Amino acid sequence: MTRILVVDDEPQILRALRINLRARRYDVDVAATGAAALKAAAGHPPDLVVLDLGLPDIDGVEVIRGLRGWTSVPIIVLSGRAGSEDKVAALDAGADDYVTKPFGVEELLARIRAVTRRLGAPSEAVPALRIGQHTVDLADHSVRRDDGTEVKLTPIQWSVLEKLLRHPGKLVSQRQLLQDVWGPEYQNETNYLRQYLAQLRRKLEDDPARPRHLITEPGMGYRYRP
C-alpha cells in the first residue's frame, strides 16, 4: 500500500485529505509543522509527500531541501502561494509538482496517480549512456561518476532525463516532454522544463553553463547529444 505523508497546518485540509486518500486505499500519515513532517518522514518513510509551503515553524521550501538531503521520494506542493517565484523556488529545491490552493480533491488525486504511475512504469532495455564524466543506466535507474560516486536523481528528474536519452540526437518538443512527464494539462508550464533541465545540468554536465549533452533548442524543445 502506498504511504502518503500530508503536511499542512490547516486541520480541515488534513482531515479532508486523510479521509479521501484512505478511501482510495492509501496509507496516510499527517503532520501540521515542518519539524513534525521531517520527523515523520524519517521514522516512517513515505512513498509520496503532499506539502504545504506556509507552515508555522519552517518554510515548506526548507522542508523540501531537508527531505532531498536523504530521499528522492516524490513531493507534491499544495500551496496558496500562486506566484511564479514561489513555484520556481519549490521546484528548484526538489519538488516534483505544484498545486495551487484552492484546489479540487479530484485534481490532487489525479496528480498523485500520475506520479505513482511514473514510479511503477517499466523501462525498456537500453544500453548505458554517457553524459560528461557520468554513466547513466536507465535499466536500474543509476548514475555514476567515473570515480564510482553515485548521483541521486528525483523521480521527475529521471523522467525528464529518460525521455531525452531514449531519443539520442533527436529534438523532443516542449509539448511532448510536458505531456509525457506531467500530463496534458501542463502543456503551458514551460518553466517546469527550464528548472529541471537546469537541475540535471548542474548534476551531470561538466560545465552546466555551457552544456554539451543536454541541449536547449530555443522555442522548440530539448535534445540529448551523445
Side-chain angles (χ1 to χ4, degrees):
M1 183 180 293
T2 300
R3 179 188 295 273
I4 298 179
L5 172 61
V6 180
V7 187
D8 200 298
D9 65 338
E10 298 182 45
Q12 63 272 29
I13 289 182
L14 287 182
R15 181 175 181 274
L17 290 182
R18 181 169 50 207
I19 291 172
N20 279 279
L21 290 171
R22 285 180 175 169
R24 272 80 173 181
R25 299 186 179 278
Y26 292 106
D27 191 4
V28 183
D29 291 328
V30 298
T33 66
L38 293 172
K39 183 177 180 181
H44 299 281
D47 299 302
L48 184 144
V49 177
V50 176
L51 172 70
D52 182 24
L53 294 184
L55 300 172
D57 57 341
I58 305 172
D59 187 79
V61 172
E62 294 304 317
V63 176
I64 295 171
R65 293 193 179 109
L67 291 169
R68 284 290 173 256
W70 62 274
T71 180
S72 61
V73 63
I75 300 172
I76 298 177
V77 169
L78 186 62
S79 177
R81 302 177 187 176
S84 60
E85 297 86 356
D86 295 303
K87 292 184 179 180
V88 168
L91 293 169
D92 205 29
D96 296 284
D97 202 350
Y98 197 106
V99 179
T100 303
K101 294 179 181 178
F103 65 97
V105 171
E106 291 302 325
E107 177 191 1
L108 178 61
L109 290 168
R111 305 285 184 96
I112 290 171
R113 289 194 298 270
V115 170
T116 52
R117 277 198 304 270
R118 288 194 292 269
L119 288 176
S123 296
E124 299 174 6
V126 67
L129 300 166
R130 294 283 298 174
I131 299 180
Q133 301 178 48
H134 302 84
T135 299
V136 183
D137 189 332
L138 294 177
D140 64 3
H141 277 199
S142 68
V143 178
R144 293 192 181 276
R145 292 179 57 88
D146 290 344
D147 62 7
T149 304
E150 183 178 2
V151 178
K152 294 186 179 298
L153 300 181
T154 69
I156 292 292
Q157 289 171 352
W158 266 116
S159 294
V160 173
L161 183 64
E162 184 170 4
K163 293 297 179 185
L164 296 177
L165 266 56
R166 288 189 181 278
H167 301 87
K170 296 181 179 179
L171 174 70
V172 182
S173 70
Q174 294 177 347
R175 177 184 290 269
Q176 182 179 344
L177 273 171
L178 288 167
Q179 177 167 314
D180 289 352
V181 176
W182 283 275
E185 66 272 27
Y186 287 84
Q187 291 184 6
N188 295 320
E189 300 287 354
T190 54
N191 60 309
Y192 278 31
L193 292 176
R194 288 194 295 271
Q195 289 300 312
Y196 278 96
L197 264 295
Q199 294 168 13
L200 288 168
R201 287 169 181 146
R202 286 196 295 268
K203 290 185 175 185
L204 301 177
E205 292 275 7
D206 294 339
D207 184 353
R210 297 176 179 82
R212 296 179 57 196
H213 302 283
L214 302 176
I215 307 300
T216 299
E217 300 290 353
M220 296 186 293
Y222 300 88
R223 189 189 311 270
Y224 164 58
R225 182 184 296 159

